[in-house]
């Protein structure tokens, strides 16, 4: 009898879409060399056709064939961080289709660090494109149930690996130009990459490649999410309670104002632990019937960069105008 991995690989060979767990978030996988299957991903996600996809492989050998050139810093990062939550953007080989790269001259590559993802990639035997398995602009899924809720029948097979351990997407480093750039903060902290390269990472280039994760509004709940100071949270909670509206609060320290209309959640004090629960919490709050999610952002220190980035984009992407001047990042 075929096991789950074999069945999933067979689906992929037939050009179907398979959601699978990675250490960061669940991906929606398709055969990177099958243009029709890749087109299916864009349709399932509702994603604009010119937004490029990350190609996943079981190892560096599979992936680096897709690059025209592998510069020295790439080897250093690969040696240390693959498999792991780091995506590298390199000049693409001629064999990589426009469907994958959104017509750009570069390709994004990653070896995920999850036993089921690696088993699937090995069984399939080739590269898979895998964006996060959510609808375009929405919160990435960190459990198989989230994928089911989010994509339903648009996905042909879901491999269930339980909750993702990292919880936010991979860091994306662009090594295709003169200076290394951090296009998206993520699972590997900026500091770890900079320490290894012995130089600081520039930000995304102005007018650079389109990267949905880099759009200012992304990873968004439907419920308005506001980034506020503690004092502003107090005011808003009181106002909401007086008006009979329910709100949720994500802020550290003991809940000091609480009542029937206020749900106070204290997020973990450690950045990795916060990242692990962030999307699941936003998803749960989105369905809880609250009128707003009020968040006290974590500190500005570098170890919080990925969590702050996702909260900021979630705020911009949610229905309302979310930021107060005092919290502009
Ligand atoms: O952790 C992750 O990276 C997850 C898991 C499933 O592996 N995947 C993921 O994929 O986050 P997606 O499609 O949701 O985000 C991919 C990001 C986008 O911001 C995309 O624009 C960027 O990678 N990207 C892909 N190819 C690129 C390229 N050639 N140049 C610049 N950015 C690129
Ligand atoms: Mg995504």
């Amino acid at each position: 009898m075929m096991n789950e991995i074999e069945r999933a690989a067979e689906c992929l060979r037939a050009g179907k879409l398979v959601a699978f767990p990675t250490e960061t978030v669940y991906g929606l996988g398709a055969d990177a060399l099958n243009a029709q299957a890749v087109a299916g991903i864009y349709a399932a996600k509702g994603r604009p056709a010119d937004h490029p996809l990350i190609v996943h492989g079981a190892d560096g050998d599979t992936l680096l064939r897709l690059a025209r050139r592998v510069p020295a810093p790439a080897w250093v990062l690969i040696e240390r961080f693959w498999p792991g939550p780091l995506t590298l953007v390199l000049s693409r080989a001629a064999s990589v289709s426009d469907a994958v790269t959104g017509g750009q001259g570069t390709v994004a590559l990653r070896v995920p660090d999850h036993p089921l993802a690696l088993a699937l990639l090995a069984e399939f035997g080739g590269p898979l494109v895998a964006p996060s398995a959510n609808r375009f602009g929405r919160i990435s899924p960190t459990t198989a149930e989230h994928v089911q809720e989010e994509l339903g029948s648009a996905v042909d097979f879901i491999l269930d690996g339980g909750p993702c351990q990292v919880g936010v997407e991979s860091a994306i480093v662009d090594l295709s130009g003169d200076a290394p750039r951090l296009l998206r903060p993520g699972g590997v902290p900026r500091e770890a990459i900079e320490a290894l390269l012995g130089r600081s990472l520039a930000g995304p280039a102005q007018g650079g490649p389109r990267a949905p994760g880099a759009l200012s509004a992304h990873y968004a709940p439907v419920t308005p999410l506001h980034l506020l100071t503690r004092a502003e949270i107090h005011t808003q909670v009181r106002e909401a309670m007086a008006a009979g509206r329910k709100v949720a609060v994500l802020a550290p320290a003991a809940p000091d104002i609480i009542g029937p209309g206020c749900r106070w959640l204290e997020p973990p004090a450690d950045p990795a632990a916060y990242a692990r629960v962030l999307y699941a919490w936003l998803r749960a709050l989105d369905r809880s019937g609250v009128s707003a999610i009020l968040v006290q952002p974590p500190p500005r220190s570098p170890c919080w960069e990925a969590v702050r980035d996702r909260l900021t984009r979630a705020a911009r992407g949610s229905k309302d105008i979310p930021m107060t001047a005092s919290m502009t990042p």
Side-chain angles (χ1 to χ4, degrees):
M1 211 179 78
M2 268 201 277
N3 67 25
E4 292 268 289
I5 297 287
E6 288 165 347
R7 283 172 54 205
E10 191 142 290
C11 278
L12 291 166
R13 281 186 212 108
K16 295 184 177 169
L17 307 183
V18 172
F20 61 92
T22 79
E23 78 281 35
T24 58
V25 300
Y26 275 71
L28 181 63
D31 180 352
L33 307 179
N34 177 339
Q36 231 171 348
V38 176
I41 295 243
Y42 286 90
K45 281 188 58 102
R47 180 169 175 150
D50 56 354
H51 289 271
L53 299 167
I54 298 177
V55 184
H56 296 61
D59 49 47
D61 289 348
T62 316
L63 286 181
L64 295 174
R65 256 177 250 156
L66 306 177
R68 189 165 58 82
R69 205 170 67 79
V70 183
W75 292 111
V76 176
L77 294 177
I78 287 166
E79 176 70 23
R80 171 73 181 78
F81 293 120
W82 279 6
L86 176 73
T87 295
L88 294 180
V89 172
L90 303 175
S91 310
R92 79 189 229 199
S95 60
V96 185
S97 81
D98 282 342
V100 170
T101 67
Q104 301 183 56
T106 54
V107 63
L109 306 171
R110 148 166 150 84
V111 179
D113 187 14
H114 190 289
L116 284 187
L118 290 170
L120 178 65
L121 286 160
E123 175 70 27
F124 179 67
L128 293 176
V129 287
S132 51
N134 52 280
R135 300 215 177 256
F136 184 68
R138 292 295 166 202
I139 304 168
S140 300
T142 53
T143 68
E145 292 74 34
H146 296 166
V147 178
Q148 181 63 45
E149 275 164 35
E150 184 83 27
L151 296 175
S153 60
V155 50
D156 298 296
F157 195 96
I158 302 176
L159 268 178
D160 188 347
C164 299
Q165 288 307 299
V166 174
V168 293
E169 300 78 359
S170 58
I172 304 180
V173 175
D174 183 355
L175 295 173
S176 68
D178 296 336
R181 294 181 181 280
L182 184 63
L183 301 186
R184 176 175 76 182
V188 175
R190 168 199 291 273
E191 290 162 298
I193 302 164
E194 290 181 340
L196 204 63
L197 294 182
R199 61 184 296 182
S200 59
L201 293 166
Q206 287 295 322
R210 257 176 233 262
L215 292 179
S216 66
H218 213 78
Y219 312 113
V222 175
T223 312
L225 184 149
H226 306 267
L227 298 180
L228 303 167
T229 63
R230 197 170 182 86
E232 289 167 332
I233 288 176
H234 281 206
T235 310
Q236 294 229 2
V237 168
R238 280 198 202 92
E239 278 176 19
M241 280 163 59
R245 280 184 287 113
K246 283 197 215 159
V247 290
V249 177
L250 245 70
D256 36 13
I257 29 168
I258 202 148
C262 176
R263 181 153 172 219
W264 195 297
L265 294 167
E266 185 174 345
D270 164 66
Y274 197 145
R276 197 174 302 134
V277 298
L278 175 62
Y279 288 155
W281 282 22
L282 292 183
R283 225 168 241 283
L285 290 175
D286 222 1
R287 309 180 117 215
S288 70
V290 296
S291 63
I293 304 169
L294 313 178
V295 183
Q296 185 181 336
R300 278 171 200 275
S301 56
C303 60
W304 284 102
E305 188 176 9
V307 169
R308 283 184 60 96
D309 172 77
R310 300 309 188 272
L311 283 171
T312 304
R313 292 178 205 284
R316 294 211 185 107
S318 69
K319 263 191 202 147
D320 212 334
I321 308 299
M323 298 265 263
T324 61
S326 58
M327 295 314 306
T328 302

